[in-house]
Amino acid sequence: MTRQTAYMTEMKDITGYSHYLAMKSQMSGMLVFDGHKATSEETSLRQECRRMSDRISLELSVCKEEEISLLLECYETMYRLGYSRMPDRRFIDTHRRRILDAWRRGNRRIAESQVYEISEEARRELSDRWLAALMEHGCFPGVTAYENYQRLALIMRENLDKELGDDADNAKHGWYEHNRVGDLSTLGSMILRSYRRFVGSLFPVILGFDEKMELDNRILSELSTRIDLTPHDRAAYRMALEFNKQLAETYQ
């Protein structure tokens, strides 16, 4: 195994285990703030989330700039779960600035969706061009399928009434139809993850609650079987599927 391969494996382990801990915490009731006394499972999970947030903090100091975004997302989740408070804003802003500065220096391994999400300044720069691409093509030509769905997930959440007026919702419906996938098994695991994020942005304008949940469950069922994902990732998707079922029962 090369050093690069070993590092990528470690990254997958970090992100997969963080995903697992987040879902385990949700299923355990750790996110229910009803004043209940923490169970032994919750206490153990909180300690493990702290350990992971500390580990990711160290990883952020040495990782490549294009890897900051994913690690930072894991770090924020693990820190909030482990310490029951928000992480230091200066720490987060420092690493976000690293992403933005590297992108401005020409690091094109940093996707536009990464800077759009973290910087209002970048959002202003990119939004008109993104919207123009969608109005002409219905998608983002010239980018990977993964990045296409990442951008769609972000733009679908935007209020476009100012830009498109009464046609905003119709435009979003059109973009959904243009980019929807019937056979989920045809998508690679990373693309399917990005597609799930896109689907999550469709409620309530494009999809109602039941439609969105049905599609999300199909995606989760598919992801839970993918052998190229880590065992922790697959377990997290199985828990997410169970959580969705419980949520649907609550709203019946």
Side-chain angles (χ1 to χ4, degrees), residues 8 11 16 20 35 46-47 58 60 62 68-69 90 98 102 105 112 117 124 153 167 180 190 205 211 222 242:
M8 290 306 296
M11 282 285 292
Y20 171 81
R46 200 173 298 282
Q47 291 171 345
L58 294 174
L60 279 164
V62 297
I68 296 172
S69 182
R90 291 171 299 179
R98 286 177 60 203
R105 290 196 304 269
E112 287 185 3
E117 192 167 21
R124 288 194 298 269
D167 291 331
R180 68 187 303 181
M190 293 305 294
V205 174
E211 292 177 291
E222 182 69 30
E242 178 60 31

Side-chain angles (χ1 to χ4, degrees), residues 86-104:
M86 297 295 291
D88 185 346
R89 192 76 253 161
R90 291 171 299 179
F91 180 86
I92 301 298
D93 289 344
T94 294
H95 288 293
R96 286 182 170 179
R97 176 53 60 179
R98 286 177 60 203
I99 299 171
L100 188 59
D101 288 348
W103 178 69
R104 292 200 183 287

